[in-house]
């Protein structure tokens, strides 16, 4: 982990800044207003009385009723690596419709996760001490628990058996997806099944109703993310083209391509920044929880485009720097610390590493 002194520099962007302008003149003060207030009211009244009795004026459409995109379907059993690549390359996300994760396990894991938020503040902080990026965090807007793949805690009272099994089932699927993507892109899988080459984070968050998308916690770099669709629920994703609303099928798994995968692909893959955030509309929802499994890298890793064989030493990588590359090589830990704490929603954090 980086030193504490190195980690004190945090940049808080102005998320709501921007130029303002004077409002347009109201009709009552406009010099070309031809009707008095009473004349306008009489004209409107006559118009309404001439409408058919079964015709009603449209009501204002709420934000929760906005159209949501159904993600393209992804199948590990019936699709080739090229099909898998095609499913996710254009948008950066897809829904895995055939998988081995039972809905009963997902519901049991959610019940265990919900119980964590009912603990006292002291219990949360003592059972899940902060060891960045793992641990408990509450910032007034949202609370989150970030766990390793074993869902370990500092308490013998918590037996998160279902959440642990659920996490490892998602991890297995995620590794298969990574393998399919790397094969389709034509380079050797740098992760494989070697547990020393990857790391998984189960990110469990609860947001109060009405929380602004993207404002419920920081980002963390990842290769692929997976989120089980337990019920009919829309999510907000921050893609390369901006915020999008998606509605996966119930019992499918929402798969998102992360920033690390985009760098590996040398920009061929579209990505999603951060986790999928639950969209809370006008429904009477008192609790909103997400369970996102992020397959990522160990902190000591270096990130670079995989243009050919991965069996190259650092000298060879440096010699190839800039030769057809979209991204420069960078240290994962420094990048991860930056994107988590800066929380730049309006700027792609990978821009600083692009070859110009």
């Amino acid at each position: 982990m980086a030193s504490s002194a190195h980690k004190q520099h945090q940049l808080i962007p102005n998320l709501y800044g921007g130029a303002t302008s004077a409002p347009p003149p109201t009709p009552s003060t406009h010099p070309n207003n031809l009707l008095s207030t009473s004349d306008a009211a009489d004209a409107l009244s006559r118009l309404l009385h001439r409408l058919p009795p079964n015709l009603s004026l449209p009501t204002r459409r709420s934000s929760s009723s906005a159209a949501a995109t159904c993600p393209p379907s992804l199948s590990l059993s019936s699709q080739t690596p090229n099909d898998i690549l095609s499913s996710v390359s254009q948008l950066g996300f897809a829904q895995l419709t055939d998988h081995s994760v039972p809905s009963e396990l997902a519901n049991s894991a959610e019940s265990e996760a919900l119980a964590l938020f009912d603990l006292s503040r002291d219990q949360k902080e003592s059972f899940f001490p902060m060891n960045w990026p793992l641990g408990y965090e509450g910032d007034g807007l949202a609370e989150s628990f970030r766990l390793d793949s074993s869902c370990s805690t500092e308490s013998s009272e918590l037996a998160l058996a279902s959440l642990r099994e659920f996490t490892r089932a998602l991890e297995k699927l995620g590794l298969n997806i990574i393998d399919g993507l790397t094969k389709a892109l034509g380079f050797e899988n740098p992760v494989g099944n070697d547990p020393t080459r990857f790391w998984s984070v189960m990110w469990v968050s609860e947001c109060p109703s009405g929380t602004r998308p993207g404002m419920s916690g920081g980002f963390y770099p990842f290769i692929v993310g997976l989120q089980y669709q337990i019920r009919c629920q829309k999510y907000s994703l921050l893609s390369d083209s901006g915020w999008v609303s998606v509605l996966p099928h119930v019992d499918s798994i929402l798969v998102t391509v992360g920033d690390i995968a985009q760098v590996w692909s040398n920009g061929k893959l579209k990505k999603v920044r951060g986790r999928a955030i639950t969209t809370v509309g006008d429904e009477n929802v008192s609790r909103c929880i997400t369970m996102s499994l992020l397959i990522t890298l160990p902190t000591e890793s270096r990130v670079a485009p995989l243009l050919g064989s991965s069996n190259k030493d650092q000298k060879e990588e440096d010699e190839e720097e800039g030769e057809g590359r979209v991204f420069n090589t960078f240290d994962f830990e420094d990048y991860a610390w930056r994107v988590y704490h800066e929380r730049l929603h309006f700027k792609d954090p990978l821009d600083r590493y692009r070859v110009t």
Side-chain angles (χ1 to χ4, degrees):
M1 296 293 175
S3 66
S4 59
H6 172 68
K7 300 176 180 176
Q8 293 301 314
H9 301 287
Q10 300 183 11
L11 178 63
I12 303 178
N14 179 7
L15 297 177
Y16 305 102
T20 59
S21 60
T26 60
S28 60
T29 60
H30 198 285
N32 294 326
N33 186 18
L34 301 178
L35 295 177
S36 66
T37 302
S38 59
D39 290 340
D42 291 341
L44 179 60
S45 178
R46 288 194 298 271
L47 176 61
L48 292 177
H49 278 87
R50 293 165 66 178
L51 291 175
N54 59 347
L55 178 63
S56 59
L57 295 176
T59 57
R60 184 178 180 181
R61 189 177 184 182
S62 65
S63 59
S64 64
S65 63
T69 299
C70 182
S73 294
L74 178 66
S75 172
L76 296 180
S77 62
S78 61
Q79 290 183 322
T80 66
N82 285 332
D83 293 331
I84 295 174
L85 177 64
S86 177
S87 297
V88 302
S89 60
Q90 297 303 313
L91 298 175
F93 57 88
Q95 57 180 342
L96 185 60
T97 53
D98 65 329
H99 54 79
S100 57
V101 183
S103 59
E104 295 81 4
L105 177 60
N107 280 279
S108 296
E110 184 184 57
S111 296
E112 290 182 351
L114 279 169
L116 298 179
F117 296 97
D118 295 330
L119 298 172
S120 68
R121 179 83 182 198
D122 289 342
Q123 288 176 317
K124 293 172 182 175
E125 293 177 345
S126 61
F127 294 169
F128 303 91
M130 179 58 70
N131 182 19
W132 186 85
L134 302 180
Y136 163 78
E137 185 174 12
D139 59 7
L141 290 175
E143 292 182 291
S144 66
F145 296 88
R146 297 181 296 277
L147 313 172
D148 58 20
S149 60
S150 64
C151 297
S152 57
T153 73
E154 296 296 325
S155 171
S156 58
E157 303 174 18
L158 294 177
L160 304 177
S162 294
L163 187 58
R164 182 182 305 111
E165 183 181 354
F166 179 66
T167 298
R168 289 177 171 168
L170 292 180
E171 181 183 76
K172 182 178 179 180
L173 290 173
L175 292 175
N176 288 336
I177 293 172
I178 293 173
D179 189 60
L181 287 175
T182 53
K183 285 180 178 177
L185 290 167
F187 54 77
E188 183 180 346
N189 185 354
V191 169
N193 289 313
D194 186 347
T196 65
R197 295 186 177 185
F198 70 91
W199 193 51
S200 296
V201 178
M202 170 53 74
W203 196 316
V204 183
S205 296
E206 184 180 31
C207 314
S209 178
T211 300
R212 185 182 177 92
M215 299 297 293
S216 55
F219 291 168
Y220 195 79
F222 64 98
I223 308 168
V224 296
L226 299 97
Q227 199 157 300
Y228 195 102
Q229 183 78 340
I230 295 179
R231 60 188 58 85
C232 185
Q233 177 65 61
K234 290 193 293 185
Y235 294 97
S236 291
L237 303 176
L238 182 52
S239 68
D240 282 337
S241 59
W243 285 102
V244 296
S245 180
V246 298
L247 180 60
H249 296 310
V250 173
D251 291 331
S252 70
I253 295 175
L254 179 63
V255 178
T256 52
V257 176
D259 40 3
I260 302 305
Q262 186 177 58
V263 174
W264 281 356
S265 72
N266 201 35
K268 293 183 177 66
L269 293 175
K270 299 293 185 180
K271 71 174 180 300
V272 169
R273 278 186 265 166
R275 300 161 293 118
I277 305 299
T278 302
T279 301
V280 180
D282 298 332
E283 300 84 0
N284 184 20
V285 178
S286 57
R287 305 191 76 178
C288 169
I289 185 174
T290 59
M291 298 183 294
S292 305
L293 191 280
L294 305 180
I295 299 182
T296 182
L297 296 176
T299 55
E300 65 274 10
S301 304
R302 286 175 62 81
V303 185
L306 303 176
L307 301 180
S309 172
S310 62
N311 298 320
K312 297 180 179 179
D313 58 25
Q314 187 58 52
K315 181 179 179 180
E316 290 178 296
E317 285 188 0
D318 291 339
E319 290 175 350
E320 288 185 356
E321 197 73 55
E323 295 183 7
R325 293 191 173 200
V326 175
F327 297 99
N328 294 309
T329 301
F330 56 89
D331 291 327
F332 175 82
E333 183 176 13
D334 289 342
Y335 173 70
W337 181 264
R338 178 183 297 276
V339 299
Y340 181 84
H341 289 91
E342 288 185 353
R343 306 188 182 189
L344 297 177
H345 305 286
F346 55 88
K347 181 180 179 182
D348 188 345
L350 282 179
D351 285 348
R352 68 186 291 116
Y353 304 104
R354 292 184 184 274
V355 176
T356 57

